[in-house]
Amino acid sequence: MFYYSTNAQAPLATLKKAVQKGLAEDRGLYMPQRLPSLSAQFLGSMKNLSLSEIGFQVARAFFGEDVEETALRRIVDETLCFPIPLREVEKNIYALELFHGPTLAFKDVGARFMARMLQYFRHAEGDGRTVNVLVATSGDTGSAVANGFLGVEGVRVFVLYPKGGVSPIQECQFTTLGKNITAIEVDGVFDDCQALVKSAFMDAELNQHMVLTSANSINVARFLPQSFYYFHAIAQLQQLGFDGNEVVCCVPSGNFGNLCSALFGHKMGLPMKRFIAANNENDTFFRYLQSGVYEPKHSVATIANAMDVGDPSNFARIYELYGKDVDAIRANISALRYSDEEISETMCQCMQQTGYILDPHGACGYRALKESLRRDEVGFFLETAHPAKFRDTVQRITGHEVPIPERLQAFMQGTKQSIACQKDFEAFKDLLLRT
Ligand SMILES: *Cc1c(COP(=O)(O)O)cnc(C)c1O
């Protein structure tokens, strides 16, 4: 399979190149040249298959031409090493709990998959060069990537995060690891971190000096594997007796990698009725659906900070996937947005009415689904992080004590180590060249 750039000005890339480069030469995002289809037999028997078997079948459709089968199966098994249960919150509304992984957020799936894919290319193709992974984070990406890549030989990870912009628990998860993980504290906001990473990929001198790639959801090895759990969610709903074609899926969205992987699944034949993108006040996609004009803006800080993205990078992929046609997008996807106040209100109401504790991101998803679900539909929203990851916020808003899971406690005992950096590119480049 070859990958083309959404900007259409770069040569086609192999999977290895797309994973090792992250972003294409023309700053576009890589897209698979074909949408692989899944057999009717697989789609028909899905409800009887395990998460790992479903993951493998979907992975094979995307990567089967480029990764040897037994290796691919191992990569999938090592990625899907934790359960992804679908929990009923109230009648016809389910939460897909993606937070049972090592760092308690959905990004563990993509990060683990991508780390193992890089390792595979290193061994299978005898390419001994060190790959440097740059990742900009508003909190959750950094921890998932750092942990997914920790100790992976031949890979160094640089995590860029906004000073004062991530919660103490999140910060511990990528600043205390050491080994091949370096944390960089940028004097700016998340968009500045993302801009530094993008500029680094475009800098000729840096690229001559080192192999650089991205582990943000611009990387195909990070976002495509996220489609696995949508198949599994539908399989679980089918098992409960629902028909995929009545299912509405609601995704709390920031950079839109997660929603985008669901849309790929749908285009590959996964039965689903429609999608909802839930936004916080960073509502670029919501406004796009209304006006038909894509107008990015600076991100604003909210209590659902992993969604504080003003210019979602995967918009380019969604646009491409729907033939650059806003009406085709509107026919399949709607969007809703919520203020911090509405998010808080939702967290309290849901807890009081159902006993389910939402984190601020999942709260956007739950509310958007609840507000727009029709009687003849069943829906699930993604609970993208464990409420303990946003413990202070959740406790303050709901007044309910959230215990810290052991896995999180372990991180908090480490010592914080990070390098301070200005938000201008020259400072960042110097730092990379020196380390
Ligand atoms: C990253 C993240 C999101 C947003 O996901 P995208 O793929 O960037 O849209 C939502 N919730 C949580 C908890 C996250 O960590």
Side-chain angles (χ1 to χ4, degrees):
M1 174 93 85
F2 287 99
Y3 292 80
Y4 71 94
S5 162
T6 49
N7 286 349
Q9 305 294 316
L12 287 178
T14 59
L15 175 62
K16 179 184 172 192
K17 180 178 166 187
V19 178
Q20 286 193 347
K21 270 192 72 63
L23 207 59
E25 290 88 342
D26 60 0
R27 288 185 161 236
L29 274 68
Y30 284 117
M31 292 279 281
Q33 208 179 16
R34 283 180 293 106
L35 266 175
S37 55
L38 288 155
S39 70
Q41 199 235 337
F42 165 72
L43 292 168
S45 63
M46 212 166 64
K47 70 165 186 257
N48 302 315
L49 302 179
S50 66
L51 172 60
S52 119
E53 186 60 29
I54 289 175
F56 173 66
Q57 298 288 345
V58 179
R60 191 166 59 176
F62 280 119
F63 308 119
E65 292 167 18
D66 303 297
V67 180
E68 197 261 316
E69 189 163 315
T70 48
L72 189 58
R73 197 178 268 282
R74 200 186 57 238
I75 293 172
V76 170
D77 283 347
E78 287 178 10
T79 299
L80 301 174
C81 58
F82 49 88
I84 304 184
L86 193 68
R87 220 172 287 290
E88 185 175 24
V89 175
E90 58 191 69
K91 189 169 185 301
N92 287 346
I93 294 190
Y94 292 81
L96 185 66
E97 291 186 351
L98 289 162
F99 56 65
H100 297 281
T103 71
L104 310 176
F106 83 88
K107 293 185 178 80
D108 282 326
V109 172
R112 292 177 69 80
F113 190 90
M114 182 183 161
R116 280 149 191 82
M117 194 78 126
L118 280 176
Q119 203 173 23
Y120 170 79
F121 285 127
R122 188 174 157 90
H123 289 294
E125 308 197 358
D127 185 343
R129 292 176 302 170
T130 294
V131 175
N132 297 278
V133 173
L134 303 183
V135 56
T137 188
S138 53
D140 274 357
T141 311
S143 51
V145 169
N147 285 276
F149 283 76
L150 182 65
V152 171
E153 172 207 348
V155 182
R156 282 202 306 180
V157 177
F158 296 89
V159 180
L160 286 79
Y161 69 103
K163 184 174 176 178
V166 305
S167 78
I169 292 183
Q170 289 175 325
E171 195 174 4
C172 286
Q173 288 180 291
F174 51 80
T175 57
T176 59
L177 300 169
K179 292 193 186 163
N180 56 334
I181 313 296
T182 304
I184 300 177
E185 186 173 29
V186 177
D187 201 358
V189 295
F190 170 72
D191 288 342
D192 297 315
C193 299
Q194 186 144 280
L196 286 177
V197 169
K198 282 194 176 174
S199 303
F201 294 134
M202 295 305 136
D203 189 86
E205 192 189 345
L206 263 183
N207 282 276
Q208 237 161 32
H209 192 78
M210 56 211 295
V211 183
L212 292 176
T213 193
S214 155
N216 284 83
S217 52
I218 57 175
N219 197 302
V220 294
R222 227 206 79 193
F223 97 92
L224 285 176
Q226 293 173 171
S227 59
F228 302 166
Y229 46 71
Y230 292 96
F231 284 86
H232 186 57
I234 295 294
Q236 291 179 79
L237 285 169
Q238 287 173 336
Q239 233 171 30
L240 293 171
F242 294 106
D243 176 347
N245 296 312
E246 61 188 353
V247 176
V248 180
C249 168
C250 181
V251 186
S253 296
N255 255 324
F256 281 75
N258 211 354
L259 177 59
C260 195
S261 52
L263 301 174
F264 267 85
H266 183 55
K267 294 264 179 189
M268 286 163 74
L270 179 65
M272 289 221 212
K273 186 172 176 192
R274 62 188 181 91
F275 297 88
I276 306 167
N279 280 168
N280 58 25
E281 279 179 76
N282 296 279
D283 59 353
T284 301
F285 187 75
F286 172 86
R287 287 181 292 110
Y288 166 72
L289 289 188
Q290 289 204 318
S291 68
V293 185
Y294 183 75
E295 289 177 306
K297 62 177 190 192
H298 281 294
S299 61
V300 295
T302 75
I303 55 171
N305 68 15
M307 290 157 47
D308 293 351
V309 182
D311 185 5
S313 41
N314 283 289
F315 175 76
R317 283 197 173 111
I318 296 177
Y319 192 55
E320 187 72 20
L321 201 59
Y322 286 84
K324 305 186 166 89
D325 176 359
V326 66
D327 288 323
I329 298 177
R330 284 172 178 148
N332 226 206
I333 314 169
S334 56
L336 286 161
R337 64 163 174 205
Y338 300 106
S339 65
D340 276 2
E341 203 184 325
E342 291 167 319
I343 296 171
S344 308
E345 182 186 283
T346 305
M347 289 163 68
C348 290
Q349 268 173 11
C350 182
M351 200 190 78
Q352 282 156 11
Q353 289 165 10
T354 72
Y356 194 82
I357 299 177
L358 294 160
D359 93 292
H361 306 79
C364 295
Y366 168 78
R367 177 148 178 178
L369 184 61
K370 196 171 158 92
E371 280 183 356
S372 69
L373 197 70
R374 293 191 279 265
R375 279 230 175 84
D376 57 346
E377 295 173 328
V378 57
F380 70 94
F381 66 97
L382 272 51
E383 186 33 300
T384 46
H386 193 293
K389 278 203 101 160
F390 301 90
R391 189 164 181 259
D392 294 347
T393 309
V394 175
Q395 293 189 156
R396 178 172 49 78
I397 292 170
T398 64
H400 184 89
E401 167 104 26
V402 181
I404 306 183
E406 259 170 55
R407 260 168 298 169
L408 272 188
Q409 243 153 25
F411 287 114
M412 300 190 67
Q413 274 142 22
T415 321
K416 176 183 155 179
Q417 274 182 306
S418 65
I419 302 176
C421 183
Q422 297 300 309
K423 67 181 176 190
D424 70 286
F425 179 61
E426 289 309 312
F428 176 53
K429 180 174 168 181
D430 263 6
L431 193 157
L432 283 180
L433 289 171
R434 271 187 286 116
T435 46

